[in-house]
Amino acid sequence: MALILRSIFFLMSLNLISTNEAFSKQSHIMLPSSSSSSLEYQRTEKVTNLHFYYHDIKNKNNPTIVQIVNTPKNVPNEFGSTYVMDDEITEGPEMNSKHIGRAQGLFGQASLHGIGMFMLTNFVFTNGTYAGSTLSMLGMNPVSEQNRELPIVGGTGMFRFARGYAIANSLYSISSPDNFVMEYNITVYHL
């Protein structure tokens, strides 16, 4: 009986090993090779550097950010306050600069001690070279600091398989109570 149980256990172990191997196999993207008519594995990863601005419009008539979760009175530091945004992206820091897309997503106060916001942002490019493509940024944004680094975690269109980082800066010198201007420098690797 013990021999039968050991045999069953051994066979089950082999089955589990062969099943797990299926999850560890790698898939390769096959692109046509320019040197022959056969398909060969070829990966051409690109690096793109982007520089742009976006504008948080806070006026009552046409806001681009809206608070969707308010902090209870007994919670310190506005912890939990959450906003949704659909900000204009421009080439230059002025609102009348060439419009190249939208910064859409969520952000909120995620720190009990200091000003640290979580950011979930999709940069949606609507004009120029990258029209129809997006980049996704997700991370902690310590907004009281300059040169804040946030991760780029994905993308679509020309930015498929994107990964990289964004450096964010608040432009206090040109911002107003109705228009808060952010500068972004992004380095992204993609196919």
Side-chain angles (χ1 to χ4, degrees), residues 127-141:
N127 293 311
T129 305
Y130 306 111
S133 299
T134 67
L135 285 172
S136 296
M137 181 177 72
L138 173 66
M140 186 61 143
N141 187 352

Side-chain angles (χ1 to χ4, degrees), residues 1-58:
M1 180 71 161
L3 182 60
I4 293 173
L5 287 175
R6 276 192 230 144
S7 297
I8 292 172
F9 179 75
F10 177 73
L11 291 173
M12 289 175 59
S13 297
L14 287 177
N15 187 34
L16 285 174
I17 290 169
S18 65
T19 303
N20 286 337
E21 285 177 350
F23 290 106
S24 66
K25 290 183 182 174
Q26 294 182 349
S27 297
H28 297 287
I29 298 170
M30 301 296 280
L31 300 173
S33 172
S34 59
S35 62
S36 70
S37 62
S38 67
L39 292 177
E40 295 177 11
Y41 176 72
Q42 180 181 13
R43 182 174 180 178
T44 55
E45 191 169 58
K46 301 171 194 140
V47 178
T48 300
N49 293 298
L50 301 162
H51 179 240
F52 57 80
Y53 302 82
Y54 77 69
H55 305 262
D56 281 337
I57 306 298
K58 300 176 184 175

Side-chain angles (χ1 to χ4, degrees), residues 4-158:
I4 293 173
L5 287 175
R6 276 192 230 144
S7 297
I8 292 172
F9 179 75
F10 177 73
L11 291 173
M12 289 175 59
S13 297
L14 287 177
N15 187 34
L16 285 174
I17 290 169
S18 65
T19 303
N20 286 337
E21 285 177 350
F23 290 106
S24 66
K25 290 183 182 174
Q26 294 182 349
S27 297
H28 297 287
I29 298 170
M30 301 296 280
L31 300 173
S33 172
S34 59
S35 62
S36 70
S37 62
S38 67
L39 292 177
E40 295 177 11
Y41 176 72
Q42 180 181 13
R43 182 174 180 178
T44 55
E45 191 169 58
K46 301 171 194 140
V47 178
T48 300
N49 293 298
L50 301 162
H51 179 240
F52 57 80
Y53 302 82
Y54 77 69
H55 305 262
D56 281 337
I57 306 298
K58 300 176 184 175
N59 66 32
K60 292 180 183 176
N61 297 332
N62 199 15
T64 62
I65 64 168
V66 175
Q67 187 170 10
I68 57 172
V69 176
N70 201 353
T71 303
K73 290 182 171 84
N74 63 340
V75 177
N77 207 28
E78 295 186 29
F79 178 72
S81 293
T82 305
Y83 300 81
V84 64
M85 68 178 183
D86 186 4
D87 292 340
E88 193 73 42
I89 298 174
T90 59
E91 280 187 349
E94 300 82 20
M95 190 60 184
N96 62 357
S97 294
K98 182 179 177 186
H99 296 257
I100 58 173
R102 310 290 298 183
Q104 300 171 327
L106 295 169
F107 65 94
Q109 178 63 359
S111 176
L112 284 168
H113 310 287
I115 301 174
M117 295 192 165
F118 72 87
M119 301 266 325
L120 170 61
T121 307
N122 289 313
F123 298 112
V124 180
F125 299 100
T126 56
N127 293 311
T129 305
Y130 306 111
S133 299
T134 67
L135 285 172
S136 296
M137 181 177 72
L138 173 66
M140 186 61 143
N141 187 352
V143 294
S144 60
E145 300 173 16
Q146 288 293 75
N147 297 313
R148 304 179 298 274
E149 186 173 325
L150 293 104
I152 299 295
V153 297
T156 64
M158 293 181 74

